[in-house]
Amino acid sequence: MTTQPIPAGSRPEHIDAYLSGLDRYNPETVSTFQDYVQLQCENQTYDAMSNLALLKLYQFNPHLTRDETITNILVKALLVFPSPDFSLCLHLLPPNVLDANTATDDLSAAVRKLCVLNELIESASYREFWTAYESDDLYADLVADCAGFEETMRDAIALQISMIAREVKKDFVQGSLNVNDDNLTPLLQRYGWTVEGDMIKIPINKENEAKTMVFRESVAFNQFQGVVRRGFEQAA
């Protein structure tokens, strides 16, 4: 199951009311927004607008900030790459949290760790992403609240691969999804991919389908008049 952005009309009514009115900036709504972040983590949904609103409230009311909620928001944003949501969230964090030279608290360390993962996933360095993710136990703690993190990330990576290719090497897929032969088979069945030798075939979709591009230029006859006239003048 992948993380699903909240479709129009599906956001809880009280959250929608807050976001649509002045309560968006009311510090008394912070606890409600925080509970909503936790709900997103549990049911694998995602509401960027609500999460960004909460980070904005934290800016205005730093004494209400909850580090765990901030890291959960960043983890959720990480899962919806290649959207710019992760960067948008970073821009709403206090400067001292982002300054690697001066920050020493746990939140700053967590944010830097997640930034490493974001840079790797944005650059399509999928194998390196999993290597970094498994290299530090802190990552397991950071994603613990977000149900199905690894599965969701695999699905997101597979989607990106399916958008740019119709066949890829089997070892590339295994490295990108961080799975062995035994775990690969059920994933391929779920994606509808097939194995042929050492290659994996991906069904045609609207993104990876080869398309013939036909370019037509419409030029009016009177646009040639100046060119023709200059040609005769130069000849004379």
Side-chain angles (χ1 to χ4, degrees), residues 121-160:
I121 206 69
E122 282 192 340
S123 63
S125 303
Y126 304 135
R127 189 186 296 268
E128 292 78 5
F129 167 87
W130 291 110
T131 298
Y133 172 73
E134 294 181 338
S135 68
D136 193 329
D137 292 339
L138 177 59
Y139 284 121
D141 295 334
L142 293 176
V143 306
D145 287 345
C146 295
F149 174 84
E150 294 183 12
E151 178 186 0
T152 301
M153 183 58 73
R154 288 189 180 95
D155 289 347
I157 292 172
L159 176 61
Q160 294 304 308

Side-chain angles (χ1 to χ4, degrees), residues 46 48 52 55 74 77 83-93:
Y46 177 67
L52 292 172
L55 292 180
L74 291 175
S83 81
D85 290 12
F86 189 90
S87 295
L88 291 175
C89 292
L90 288 183
H91 282 86
L92 291 176
L93 298 184

